[in-house]
Amino acid sequence: MENNNSKERYIALEKDFIYRFQDNTLFLSRSLLLPQTIWFTKKIPKELKSFKVKNIILNLDELQDIDSAGVMALFHLKDKLRKSGISARIEGGSQSILEKIELFSPGQLPYHETPLKPGFLERTGNAVSHFFTDFVFGFITLAADVFYWSVSDIFRSRSRRKGEIANQAVLIGVNASLIVIFLSFVIGLVIALQSSGQLRTFGANIYIVDLTVIAMMSQMGPLITAILVAGRSGSSIAAEIATMKVTAELNALKTMGLNPIRFVVVPKLYACLITMPFLIIFANVSGILGGGVAAYIYLDITPEIFINRMGTVMQNKDLITGFVKSQVYASLIVLTGSFFGFRVVRGAEGVGKVTTTAVVVAISLVILADSILGLLFY
Amino acid sequence: MSKEKVIEVKGLGASYDELVVLSDVNFSAYKGDITVVLGASGSGKSTVLNHLLGLYPVNKGFVSILGKDISNITEKEQLSLYLQMGVFYQSGALLNSMTVGENVALPLKQHSNLPDSLVEEIVYMKLGLVNMQHAYHYFPSELSGGMLKRAALARAIVMDPPLLFCDEPGAGLDPISLASLDELIINLQKKLGISVLMVTHEVTSIMRIADRIVYLENGVVAFEGSLKNALESNVESVKHFFSVIDEADRFK
């Protein structure tokens, strides 16, 4: 076997790039830079193993240049050969090559041990515990803080930021009014339109008024408004607070002795609590108007008949229900937006994530609250 | 024999709308040198750097990087030039959605077909050069300012670029970390022959590492020459800049 190895053999790395192998020694030549490293790691170990020798010397005397990838490829090769039972050592090389090997030598790398993956039960347990400790408890704590500051702020009007509530009311409420009015009108129209065929079959045309008014006042009006506000303002609240946290503005507020909840969240809550009932009224009126238009076109119910019938259908209870719902939804939207905004981690990417989560959770909570309140006020 | 120029800037001008930031900038950086660009805030240092990096188009004048005229360059040529440049941003500019290891591996994975295990070893080694191996699995948001900078330097040198740009690398670092960062840059320069162009204000750092100084003032180069010449310069602003060292000596 040894005699076999005294004869010259060649390994072609790529075209015009050939390494010589003689007397158990691989003579590396020209340069071992990133482009050559790719071929080097693919071909050399395979070829050397095929030579069936136990000891190999990697001679660098003819090597002219090497970079960090090349150095690592050399050590990688040694390691690979060792695993196949072949011992390899490096020898020779110019001063500059040796300096680079020293600089890029991997040494004893403290390899990070991949932690054991937790099992299904452990993961489920962790998720449940995380949900209650982080989310539920955190949300309740924030709600308590916001409640405390929003109540105590009523009596400290002097230190309140001038014009901030009006500013937020415009952003959250006034700017949302057109879209709320338009969509409620369309939904009122569609509800009446879809029902008209069925009602006509039974000759119960007049009940289109009852249907539209009850549907809009007790369910659809508040719900559509809340979903739109959650999408529009819930996301903007989360993004604003998250950005403030990422850019250390919240820390700046704290170190100036200002409470971020009082300074940032409370004005938004006031604004939302104030504007939400109006938005719901707009939604109810335009939804009923939409129903009225459909009733007139498809069931020949004139506006006079519609209005007269409305008077008998409408109840004070619906107004109160709408108001209570507006306050619950407003609180849920602002709290959810703020909660996720404060939870942001990892910069720009985190802001996007918490914004999405805030909207999804706010809409889910609104629908959940709607069902609970629907049962309570049934 | 004169050294090879790695950066050559001739008559570079730039303005933001009406505001003229650079009027006529001329300087060169040479192979194997650490060239430091200095100047007061608003003197146009960042604008010069952004032009050199190809982030701002060269509308007036001539800029050549590693022998390539970047005022007249195709997208493909610019890309191949980027592979020969490492850039070390002041903030680190690591991608927050990736771990430190993934950040450093990114250029290697995107621009080579090396097996993953080898890429991982190279990344570990490069992180070892900046004493950051322990942070391989950390996210940038979990690192301190100094650690972020070291990780960013590891990413900048992962492709062994012949030319390294550093934008205020010392900003926010403690003197010991700054000294070790300087030492590392000198090491890379001496052992790998990397040429470095650095924008910095750290006088101690400049004294340690600079071979050449380019002093910008009101959009033109007020001084260009070796560190020794800069220390003896009669240009008022340069004298004033380096007088800080004399003032510090007085307290000793």
Side-chain angles (χ1 to χ4, degrees), chain B:
Chain B
M1 203 180 85
S2 64
K3 277 187 178 177
E4 187 188 327
K5 284 180 184 174
V6 284
I7 297 172
E8 191 175 10
V9 180
K10 279 186 192 163
L12 178 65
S15 53
Y16 299 115
D17 297 325
E18 298 294 298
L19 180 71
V20 177
V21 186
L22 306 176
S23 45
D24 183 19
V25 173
N26 298 283
F27 73 91
S28 301
Y30 297 89
K31 192 174 179 185
D33 278 356
I34 297 182
T35 307
V36 174
V37 178
L38 295 174
S41 298
S43 59
K45 299 182 301 293
S46 302
T47 311
V48 167
L49 188 65
N50 283 330
H51 277 96
L52 298 180
L53 295 177
L55 299 174
Y56 291 174
V58 179
N59 293 324
K60 186 183 162 219
F62 165 86
V63 177
S64 154
I65 308 281
L66 298 169
K68 196 104 216 157
D69 173 10
I70 64 161
S71 41
N72 190 11
I73 195 170
T74 64
E75 214 170 293
K76 208 174 166 189
E77 287 170 330
Q78 180 72 67
L79 180 68
S80 89
L81 197 56
Y82 278 142
L83 297 185
Q84 299 174 65
M85 301 169 13
V87 188
F88 176 13
Y89 292 95
Q90 186 182 352
S91 62
L94 295 175
L95 303 182
N96 276 307
S97 53
M98 296 177 173
T99 62
V100 167
E102 287 166 341
N103 261 291
V104 178
L106 187 64
L108 262 183
K109 283 200 170 166
Q110 292 296 313
H111 299 300
S112 80
N113 288 323
L114 290 179
D116 284 352
S117 58
L118 185 58
V119 168
E120 196 179 329
E121 281 169 29
I122 294 174
V123 170
Y124 260 117
M125 181 270 291
K126 291 282 154 118
L127 285 172
L129 285 179
V130 295
N131 289 327
M132 282 290 290
Q133 277 173 332
H134 63 282
Y136 188 95
H137 294 278
Y138 287 4
F139 281 96
S141 56
E142 296 167 318
L143 303 182
S144 69
M147 288 162 88
L148 264 180
K149 297 219 173 206
R150 285 189 278 150
L153 183 58
R155 187 179 64 177
I157 58 166
V158 76
M159 298 287 285
D160 288 349
L163 181 56
L164 177 67
F165 290 93
C166 303
D167 185 11
E168 306 209 15
L173 284 188
D174 64 273
I176 295 165
S177 307
L178 182 60
S180 75
L181 189 71
D182 288 344
E183 198 182 319
L184 179 62
I185 291 172
I186 293 170
N187 222 356
L188 292 171
Q189 177 220 16
K190 295 269 183 287
K191 291 192 175 163
L192 302 177
I194 286 184
S195 317
V196 181
L197 184 119
M198 183 185 286
V199 173
T200 184
H201 286 120
E202 303 288 337
V203 181
T204 46
S205 188
I206 294 164
M207 297 302 289
R208 259 196 301 262
I209 69 171
D211 293 311
R212 285 176 62 77
I213 301 285
V214 173
Y215 194 94
L216 280 176
E217 194 178 16
N218 301 325
V220 292
V221 174
F223 174 85
E224 184 191 1
S226 67
L227 176 65
K228 188 171 171 288
N229 288 345
L231 292 168
E232 293 162 359
S233 168
N234 287 325
V235 179
E236 203 50 48
S237 45
V238 180
K239 245 164 67 179
H240 186 238
F241 186 88
F242 286 104
S243 68
V244 180
I245 309 165
D246 300 335
E247 279 174 29
D249 281 344
R250 243 183 285 149
F251 290 104
K252 281 182 183 170

Side-chain angles (χ1 to χ4, degrees), chain A residues 2 68 81 106 131 133 135 145 156 163 167 185 222 226 247 254 284 292 309 344 350 355 367:
Chain A
E2 286 304 311
S68 61
L81 291 174
F131 175 76
T133 52
F135 283 85
D145 265 354
R156 297 187 207 181
N167 188 23
F185 180 84
T247 54
K254 272 187 206 163
N284 290 346
R309 178 75 189 170
V344 72
T355 308
I367 294 173

Side-chain angles (χ1 to χ4, degrees), chain A residues 262-326:
Chain A
R262 178 172 176 240
F263 200 77
V264 182
V265 183
V266 170
K268 293 184 199 305
L269 181 69
Y270 279 154
C272 205
L273 288 172
I274 294 166
T275 53
M276 198 73 153
F278 292 102
L279 285 177
I280 289 179
I281 291 169
F282 291 162
N284 290 346
V285 171
S286 62
I288 292 170
L289 197 67
V293 170
Y296 180 65
I297 295 171
Y298 292 98
L299 299 172
D300 299 326
I301 291 172
T302 60
E304 292 82 29
I305 301 171
F306 196 96
I307 292 167
N308 284 339
R309 178 75 189 170
M310 243 171 74
T312 59
V313 178
M314 267 186 165
Q315 294 174 16
N316 285 340
K317 194 189 88 180
D318 290 335
L319 285 174
I320 296 163
T321 314
F323 181 76
V324 172
K325 282 185 175 181
S326 75

Side-chain angles (χ1 to χ4, degrees), chain A residues 9 35 51 54 79 95 131 133 145 165 171 194 208 227 235 240 255 260 288 291 303 308 312 320 340 345 350 358 377:
Chain A
R9 280 190 265 202
F51 293 164
K54 287 284 165 212
D79 200 41
Q95 184 64 25
F131 175 76
T133 52
D145 265 354
I165 296 174
L171 290 174
Q194 297 285 345
I208 190 76
I227 289 174
S235 59
E240 184 187 331
T255 50
I288 292 170
N308 284 339
T312 59
I320 296 163
F340 285 101
V345 282
F377 292 111

